[in-house]
Amino acid sequence: MPTTEPEPEPELLHRIENGVLWLTLNRPKASNAITWAQRELLIELLGEASANEAVRAVILTAAGPKHFCTGMDLRSSPGTKSLLAAPDAADDDAAPKPPARPTGYATRMMKTGVQRLTNAVLDCEKPVIAAVNGTTAGYGMSLALACDLVIAAESSRFIQIFTRRGLVPDGGSAYLLPRLVGPQKAKELMFFGDDLPAAEALRIGVVNKVVADDELQAVAREWAERLATGPTRAYAFTKQLVNRSLDSDRVAAFDEEAQIVELNMTSRDANEGVASLMERRKPEYYGW
């Protein structure tokens, strides 16, 4: 009898367990570079997580021990051939010419591509934890920086690899990284593109915690499930206030804080928190 080939695993695994949405990049043989299809599905799932009451926290991680994410896989994404086209070699003595493409092409590619994914992480109303299991480079580092919390395996490395290829950091790196480490340290990491080991990433504030490689999934699960039993709306509002704080003046920030406090007090969890305090008992949060 003819044998049937087993169906390949999806390139993006996703499941919900104990209130946690697990998103796993599953292209270890391609260093977990993100394809166009993966990007679109990630954006969709993160958007759905905001509205899904069954999801109260998100973990973003990757398959395989070597790579968390090495950026976008341009070769497998539609509409990028002009970026990869060889220069015109008609005149060997002439300076290389840039790939032929319409003015504004790269701008549109950024706005409709990696920036949308970064925004999807930043705008997700549930806490997003990056569980970084290996090398994360280029846009992969941008993606980790966009997450609310970052747990890194001891063997992981972070690389702002863009300038090694003559490129400018994208996906929000130049916005996110200086807010974590300051502008001078950010420029050092971006100019040189040197490997940033997990221990150093912890010291300068790029990650929240470093754990042994074989403990990464368990610690990420512990953090996420702890968040999944907490006041979900309060987390969403807190995330909103913190993400906007460095772009606001004091008057605007205080005004938004007051309005958010007012709005949060309409939630069941806020009232449960106050009631439990008055009654001297442990609160039980429902996520709304």
Side-chain angles (χ1 to χ4, degrees):
M1 294 180 63
T3 58
T4 57
E5 291 287 335
E7 291 188 8
E9 277 196 323
E11 294 185 343
L12 178 65
L13 306 177
H14 55 95
R15 69 186 191 277
I16 299 174
E17 291 181 358
N18 299 324
V20 179
L21 170 63
W22 287 77
L23 300 173
T24 304
L25 302 176
N26 190 33
R27 301 183 71 227
K29 292 182 180 179
S31 304
N32 285 317
I34 299 175
T35 66
W36 182 92
Q38 283 178 301
R39 183 195 74 203
E40 293 304 301
L41 184 54
L42 279 168
I43 292 170
E44 179 183 344
L45 291 169
L46 287 164
E48 290 176 354
S50 290
N52 187 348
E53 293 182 5
V55 175
R56 297 174 67 180
V58 179
I59 292 175
L60 177 61
T61 190
K66 293 184 177 181
H67 299 97
F68 171 73
C69 178
T70 54
M72 298 300 300
D73 188 342
L74 296 178
R75 290 177 175 81
S76 65
S77 301
T80 59
K81 289 184 178 179
S82 64
L83 283 179
L84 302 173
D88 187 353
D91 184 354
D92 293 338
D93 296 327
K97 296 180 180 179
R101 59 178 180 263
T103 299
Y105 175 86
T107 298
R108 287 191 296 274
M109 187 179 72
M110 288 295 106
K111 290 183 175 181
T112 62
V114 291
Q115 289 181 358
R116 282 178 56 237
L117 179 50
T118 297
N119 282 330
V121 177
L122 292 170
D123 294 339
C124 181
E125 296 180 16
K126 310 300 168 65
V128 181
I129 298 173
V132 179
N133 55 298
T135 298
T136 180
Y139 179 69
M141 185 170 175
S142 306
L143 185 60
L145 295 174
C147 294
D148 302 303
L149 301 169
V150 182
I151 305 172
E154 285 178 335
S155 64
S156 63
R157 299 175 300 152
F158 298 78
I159 313 173
Q160 282 285 313
I161 202 169
F162 300 98
T163 56
R164 289 194 200 176
R165 304 291 181 260
L167 303 175
V168 172
D170 65 34
S173 271
Y175 175 86
L176 297 165
L177 188 57
R179 285 164 167 74
L180 294 173
V181 303
Q184 287 183 311
K185 189 64 178 181
K187 284 181 277 191
E188 176 190 333
L189 294 171
M190 290 174 169
F191 288 174
F192 293 113
D194 292 336
D195 291 13
L196 179 67
E200 179 65 5
L202 175 64
R203 188 187 72 81
I204 66 175
V206 169
V207 306
N208 297 88
K209 189 177 184 69
V210 174
V211 299
D213 290 18
D214 60 0
E215 295 177 1
L216 178 65
Q217 296 293 307
V219 174
R221 182 188 300 276
E222 178 188 350
W223 279 30
E225 291 186 357
R226 180 179 172 187
L227 290 169
T229 61
T232 307
R233 294 313 304 163
Y235 292 151
F237 290 137
T238 301
K239 177 174 179 174
Q240 177 180 325
L241 287 173
V242 173
N243 283 354
R244 293 183 183 180
S245 64
L246 295 177
D247 301 321
S248 300
D249 59 63
R250 177 175 56 83
V251 173
F254 278 27
D255 184 58
E256 183 176 22
E257 177 187 277
Q259 294 181 46
I260 290 296
V261 168
E262 170 77 21
L263 184 59
N264 185 61
M265 287 309 300
T266 67
S267 70
R268 175 174 179 173
D269 282 348
N271 285 277
E272 164 65 10
V274 173
S276 67
L277 176 65
M278 300 297 291
E279 297 165 11
R280 298 184 179 181
R281 59 175 175 81
K282 184 179 180 179
E284 182 178 359
Y285 295 120
Y286 297 87
W288 51 277

